[in-house]
Structures are given as structure tokens and as C-alpha cells.
């Protein structure tokens, strides 16, 4: 399963799966298809970048949550 793979090692395909699983379907095209954002890049996005790219503050909080849970692995 994906759960035991650290998010920083995700491909942009795995980021896309994570976005869809978390109901961020509308962010897939810009992040994964246009910018090919992989896991490392996802974890390093600043809040201003997330808002600029997706206009979705909830996505930023979800990424922060992902960081916290991945730190404990």
C-alpha cells in the first residue's frame, strides 16, 4: 500500500492519487499535469504557492497534515 511509502518519495502520479483520495480533484490538472509536482515538491510548497496554484486553503492544511503524519514514520 501507499501508506508505508514516505510522501517525499512519491511520484507525481502518487501525488495525483493522494489528491483524488482527499477530494482535491480540481487541483490535479494544475499540480500533476502542468507542474508535475512530486512528493518532495508537494511537501515543500509554501502556503502562498498552494493558494496561487489552486486557490484552495484546505489543500494547504491537508499538505501540512501529511507532513505531520509522515514525520512520525
Amino acid at each position: 500500500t501507499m501508506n508505508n511509502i514516505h510522501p517525499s518519495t512519491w511520484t507525481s502520479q502518487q501525488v495525483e492519487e493522494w489528491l483524488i483520495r482527499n477530494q482535491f480533484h480540481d487541483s490535479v490538472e494544475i499540480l500533476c499535469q502542468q507542474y508535475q509536482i512530486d512528493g518532495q515538491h508537494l511537501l515543500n510548497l509554501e502556503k502562498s504557492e498552494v493558494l496561487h496554484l489552486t486557490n484552495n486553503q484546505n489543500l494547504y492544511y491537508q499538505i501540512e497534515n501529511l507532513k505531520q503524519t509522515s514525520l512520525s514514520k
Side-chain angles (χ1 to χ4, degrees):
T1 67
M2 252 176 86
N3 293 339
N4 50 21
I5 302 174
H6 196 281
S8 66
T9 67
W10 289 355
T11 62
S12 62
Q13 177 65 48
Q14 288 168 303
V15 170
E16 181 171 334
E17 290 167 17
W18 177 81
L19 288 168
I20 291 169
R21 219 176 32 247
N22 288 282
Q23 310 299 315
F24 297 115
H25 302 75
D26 52 355
S27 299
V28 167
E29 187 179 341
I30 182 111
L31 295 182
C32 299
Q33 286 153 26
Q34 272 185 260
Y35 286 93
Q36 299 285 310
I37 293 208
D38 60 15
Q40 187 65 58
H41 196 159
L42 182 76
L43 295 177
N44 288 327
L45 285 174
E46 301 287 340
K47 184 174 188 179
S48 59
E49 293 176 292
V50 175
L51 293 177
H52 174 72
L53 291 170
T54 69
N55 202 25
N56 191 330
Q57 190 163 276
N58 286 334
L59 175 55
Y60 172 75
Y61 293 129
Q62 198 65 44
I63 294 170
E64 286 299 298
N65 190 41
L66 182 68
K67 283 187 207 175
Q68 295 310 312
T69 53
S70 63
L71 285 176
S72 60
K73 294 216 160 100

